[in-house]
Amino acid sequence: MKALYSQLNSLVPHQNSRVSNPPSEPVLSLPDQLNEAASYIKRLQTNLEKMKEKKDSLMGVERTNHASMTSCNGTTTGLRPPQIEVREMGSTLEVVLITGLDSQFMFNETIRVLHEEGAEIINASFSVVEDTVFHTIHSKVEDSAPSNGAARISQRLKKFVQDDCAF
C-alpha cells in the first residue's frame, strides 16, 4: 500500500513543485496526500469538461438532448432541418445551404461533394441569423458538358440532404 500511495503522490503536481524538493518543504501526511490527489482529479475533470464544451462550440456542435431534434418532415422542436438549393448559371453553380446551428458539418460535406465532382470553389460565405445558418457557395463547373456536371452535382447534393433527413 505504501508503494501505491507513493506512486499516486508522485503523479500529482504539488503547490511547491517549482523548486525540486526544498529542505524546508513539509512532508504531507497520507490523508493530506489523498485529499490533494482527489482535488487534483476533480480539477482535471472540470478542465476536461470545459475543453470539451469549447471544442464543441468551435466545431459548431451544440450539446442538446438528441430526442429533441427536428425531423426533416417538420415535426416539433427547435432545430432547423437542412435545405439546399442549387442554381445553374452557365458554367457557374450557386449552392445555398440553409441549416440550423446543429448541422455545421453539412457545409464541409457540400464542399467535399463539389470537389469530388471537379467543381472549382470561387467563393464561400455564411451568415447566422438567430438559430439559422445561411451558406452560399459559388463554384465553376468544368467546361466539358457543364449542364450535365451541374445536374449531377445538384442531384448529389439534394440526395445528401435528403439522406441526412432520413436519420
Side-chain angles (χ1 to χ4, degrees):
M1 289 298 284
K2 185 176 180 181
L4 292 175
Y5 287 131
S6 178
Q7 183 181 8
L8 175 64
N9 192 41
S10 71
L11 296 173
V12 177
H14 301 287
Q15 297 294 339
N16 298 326
S17 62
R18 291 183 186 149
V19 180
S20 62
N21 217 3
S24 63
E25 182 181 323
V27 176
L28 292 175
S29 67
L30 187 58
D32 289 339
Q33 289 177 14
L34 292 175
N35 284 337
E36 189 174 335
S39 296
Y40 177 67
I41 291 170
K42 287 178 186 174
R43 282 194 312 273
L44 286 177
Q45 288 173 327
T46 302
N47 288 343
L48 178 64
E49 190 59 34
K50 286 179 184 176
M51 290 175 154
K52 283 181 181 178
E53 288 174 7
K54 184 175 181 179
K55 175 188 167 202
D56 288 347
S57 72
L58 291 172
M59 294 184 71
V61 174
E62 188 173 308
R63 287 186 171 200
T64 59
N65 181 353
H66 292 292
S68 70
M69 290 183 145
T70 304
S71 67
C72 289
N73 63 8
T75 59
T76 68
T77 80
L79 302 180
R80 170 179 290 284
Q83 300 171 356
I84 194 162
E85 183 177 327
V86 181
R87 294 187 201 118
E88 180 184 348
M89 297 171 274
S91 63
T92 305
L93 282 181
E94 178 184 54
V95 178
V96 178
L97 176 65
I98 304 170
T99 67
L101 296 172
D102 60 318
S103 299
Q104 294 295 307
F105 73 94
M106 294 190 79
F107 174 77
N108 295 338
E109 290 300 309
T110 302
I111 296 291
R112 183 184 58 78
V113 168
L114 289 167
H115 276 288
E116 285 177 359
E117 292 292 337
E120 176 187 352
I121 306 299
I122 305 299
N123 182 25
S125 62
F126 74 95
S127 298
V128 179
V129 179
E130 294 179 5
D131 65 344
T132 304
V133 183
F134 298 89
H135 302 276
T136 305
I137 304 164
H138 295 101
S139 62
K140 183 175 181 187
V141 182
E142 292 180 3
D143 291 335
S144 59
S147 62
N148 290 340
R152 186 177 61 246
I153 291 171
S154 177
Q155 184 178 19
R156 274 191 70 186
L157 291 172
K158 288 178 180 179
K159 183 178 182 328
F160 168 69
V161 170
Q162 288 171 352
D163 289 350
D164 185 65
C165 288
F167 295 106

